[in-house]
């Protein structure tokens, strides 16, 4: 399974960006998809996740500003980021867990990362 992320870039504080991630491969179902981020010198942290049942979890620092959405049929997930702050600057990674083929459960998968830079 491969995850292809896109949509990062440079934006001014207060602006918006939308990230997009598509999973490809012999996929029957993906239990959870989401986004994590890692800033220089910091640990990777949760941004947001969404289950196949629609339950969402957001990191405290992005609640009320970011919105995660998922297309179950197309195995895609997006992240709408509004009111961006300089501290949102990081590499954002798409993640998929509970990936199921017709015959087995696969290990979780990570995308290649996309850079988001917010200028002050």
């Amino acid at each position: 399974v491969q995850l292809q992320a896109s949509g990062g870039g440079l934006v001014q504080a207060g602006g918006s960006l939308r990230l997009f991630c598509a999973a490809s491969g012999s996929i029957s179902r993906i239990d959870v998809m989401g986004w994590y981020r890692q800033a220089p010198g910091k640990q990777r942290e949760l941004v947001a996740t969404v289950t196949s049942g629609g339950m969402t979890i957001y990191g405290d620092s992005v609640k009320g500003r970011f919105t995660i959405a998922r297309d179950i049929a197309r195995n895609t997930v997006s992240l709408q980021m509004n009111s961006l702050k300089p501290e949102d600057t990081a590499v954002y990674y798409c993640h998929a867990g509970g990936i199921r083929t017709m015959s087995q459960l696969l290990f979780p998968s990570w995308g290649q990362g996309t850079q988001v830079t917010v200028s002050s």
Side-chain angles (χ1 to χ4, degrees):
V1 173
Q2 288 190 326
L3 299 179
Q4 183 66 44
S6 60
L10 173 64
V11 65
Q12 289 188 331
S16 298
L17 281 174
R18 182 173 178 266
L19 304 183
F20 184 82
C21 177
S24 61
S26 300
I27 301 168
S28 175
R29 193 182 88 183
I30 301 176
D31 290 340
V32 181
M33 295 189 76
W35 297 90
Y36 290 73
R37 68 186 183 187
Q38 188 166 18
K42 295 187 177 181
Q43 289 188 334
R44 192 170 295 190
E45 64 174 358
L46 168 72
V47 177
T49 61
V50 56
T51 69
S52 56
M55 186 178 73
T56 58
I57 297 175
Y58 291 92
D60 288 342
S61 62
V62 306
K63 286 179 181 177
R65 299 187 298 122
F66 292 10
T67 302
I68 191 168
R70 185 173 169 185
D71 186 325
I72 301 294
R74 300 186 179 189
N75 292 319
T76 62
V77 64
S78 63
L79 184 70
Q80 179 65 42
M81 305 184 293
N82 298 329
S83 302
L84 282 161
K85 305 175 181 179
E87 50 264 44
D88 293 317
T89 296
V91 177
Y92 284 68
Y93 296 92
C94 179
H95 177 264
I99 306 169
R100 302 171 188 274
T101 68
M102 292 298 290
S103 59
Q104 59 183 332
L105 175 64
L106 303 180
F107 286 108
S109 183
W110 292 92
Q112 82 281 10
T114 183
Q115 177 71 45
V116 171
T117 302
V118 184
S119 63
S120 57

